[in-house]
Amino acid sequence: MSVLTIAGSPARQSRSTALLEHLSELLEAWGIATRAVRLRDLPADDLIEGRIQSPAARIVRAKVDVAQAIIVATPVYKASLSGGLKALLDLLPENAFAGKTVLPVATGGSNAHLLVLEYGLKPVLSALGARHILSGIYATDEDVGFGEDGAIRIAAPLQERLQESAERLTEGLLRVDSLSSVRRLEIASGTERVRA
Ligand SMILES: Cc1cc2nc3c(=O)[nH]c(=O)nc-3n(C[C@H](O)[C@H](O)[C@H](O)COP(=O)(O)O)c2cc1C
């Protein structure tokens, strides 16, 4: 069971990426392996030219392939997802997210563009084949920031929402995992039935 986080901010000190790191820490503490893809780590030429065969793009695709769940985070830019994240997602094939549980996350300057999750990010996730998209997490710059020491500061109510979302993601993963275990048992014991 593994979860991939995709950080769609180009910023060096990124609120949305910090939320992903917080979620990863929660999941790791529960014994769930996490891996990360960061927009900042991809060569700009690959993104701008859409080089789907580049080594970096292949690595991203391989990480997506093996993940059972994906958490995608973006900053709100001009009332939508970041252009860089869109360029990153454009390196993936159609249906790259099929069969995976996806949790969208966005941070914005205010609540004015709260619906970016519904109208900006989720349609792109659907176009990638995601059918099990959890209700997302939207946070403002008041909810999450950095102290003078550079350490992340997350407001308590947002910490609770992150915890709840991580729990929902985990429940979904365990359900899928136990269903496939049942199927493996049925096949092994010769009792597999054709399901409607
Ligand atoms: C180019 C640019 C455009 C932005 N546009 C919006 C916007 O339309 N709506 C909004 O609420 N915040 C907007 N913001 C603020 C960011 O979404 C916000 O600060 C976010 O938390 C940054 O996330 P990051 O630290 O992960 O990059 C914009 C910021 C930048 C740099």
Side-chain angles (χ1 to χ4, degrees):
M1 191 187 303
S2 77
V3 176
L4 177 68
T5 60
I6 300 181
S9 175
R12 190 180 301 273
Q13 196 181 51
S14 156
R15 291 176 159 89
S16 54
T17 308
L19 294 188
L20 286 183
E21 287 163 1
H22 183 84
L23 285 165
S24 293
E25 280 170 21
L26 287 175
L27 294 168
E28 294 271 350
W30 299 336
I32 295 171
T34 65
R35 302 179 85 187
V37 165
R38 292 176 207 88
L39 171 66
R40 281 182 58 81
D41 295 340
L42 272 96
D45 286 350
D46 290 0
L47 294 164
I48 291 166
E49 295 176 21
R51 292 183 188 162
I52 57 174
Q53 295 304 340
S54 75
R58 284 170 190 264
I59 291 171
V60 172
R61 282 203 297 279
K63 286 184 174 178
V64 168
D65 276 352
V66 298
Q68 274 121 326
I70 302 189
I71 311 176
V72 182
T74 184
V76 182
Y77 279 0
K78 303 287 186 286
S80 190
L81 70 161
S82 80
L85 174 61
K86 180 63 169 56
L88 189 165
L89 296 175
D90 286 344
L91 296 174
L92 298 173
E94 247 179 81
N95 288 326
F97 288 178
K100 301 177 195 298
T101 303
V102 182
L103 172 63
V105 176
T107 60
S110 72
N111 271 325
H113 294 126
L114 175 74
L115 289 175
V116 73
L117 287 172
E118 304 304 320
Y119 299 127
L121 193 49
K122 286 189 181 178
V124 181
L125 302 176
S126 295
L128 285 165
R131 294 293 170 265
H132 188 211
I133 305 177
L134 300 177
S135 45
I137 303 167
Y138 185 90
T140 67
D141 292 355
E142 267 187 27
D143 302 323
V144 52
F146 298 92
E148 278 174 18
D149 55 357
I152 180 79
R153 302 268 188 271
I154 302 178
L158 175 57
Q159 286 194 32
E160 270 176 40
R161 287 197 285 137
L162 291 165
Q163 169 104 14
E164 281 164 18
S165 294
E167 282 167 5
R168 274 204 311 278
L169 187 76
T170 313
E171 282 161 15
L173 286 179
L174 290 174
R175 203 165 46 243
V176 170
D177 209 45
S178 68
L179 279 176
S180 41
S181 305
V182 168
R183 194 169 137 70
R184 279 198 297 276
L185 279 175
E186 285 178 346
I187 292 168
S189 64
T191 59
E192 189 192 12
R193 292 181 304 276
V194 177
R195 290 166 195 271

